[in-house]
Amino acid sequence: MPGTQLTVTLDGGEVADAQAVVKALEGAFGAPDRLPADDNATVRTATFSAAPAGAAPSGGGGAGGGRLSAPVTVTVQGTPESVRRASETLARAFTAHDEGTAPGDQEQERQLRLEP
C-alpha cells in the first residue's frame, strides 16, 4: 500500500540499542525517517515507509541487528502485514518475546520484549 507507514517505539536500553533495532528493520522496510540519536531520551521512535509486500527494499539490515546491552521493549504499529513483517524480522535478529497484540482491520499494534 503506497503511503503506508510502520511506527516503531523503543523503551529501555541505550541509544545504540535503539539504533540496532532500527537497523535490523531496514532490510524489510528500507531506511527510517531518521535513526534514534537522543542519549537523554527514555523512549525513542522511528518511522518507516513500509515497502509493498514482496518488494525488496534497497539497503542492508535484516537478521544482523547486532547485540543489545539491555532489554528493550519495542512497539510496532502499522498495517497488519507491516506489523507481521516487523515482528518476524525482529524475532530473527534478536531474542524476542511477544508481549501482546492489539488487532484491528486497518492498523495493528504488537509489543515485543527484546533481550540481549
Side-chain angles (χ1 to χ4, degrees), residues 18-115:
Q19 290 172 348
V21 171
V22 170
K23 286 281 193 187
L25 291 169
E26 286 183 350
F29 295 97
D33 56 351
R34 68 177 193 264
L35 283 175
D38 186 352
D39 286 326
N40 296 318
T42 57
V43 175
R44 297 168 178 94
T45 304
T47 303
F48 293 86
S49 295
S58 61
R67 299 195 46 85
L68 301 175
S69 67
V72 176
T73 300
V74 178
T75 303
V76 291
Q77 181 179 17
T79 64
E81 173 64 17
S82 296
V83 169
R84 182 193 60 75
R85 285 179 29 225
S87 299
E88 289 173 356
T89 299
L90 293 173
R92 283 191 306 270
F94 304 99
T95 300
H97 304 281
D98 192 345
E99 298 285 313
T101 302
D105 290 340
Q106 302 298 316
E107 192 168 273
Q108 190 175 75
E109 182 177 294
R110 174 171 284 154
Q111 189 171 64
L112 302 167
R113 183 162 178 85
L114 306 180
E115 301 290 338

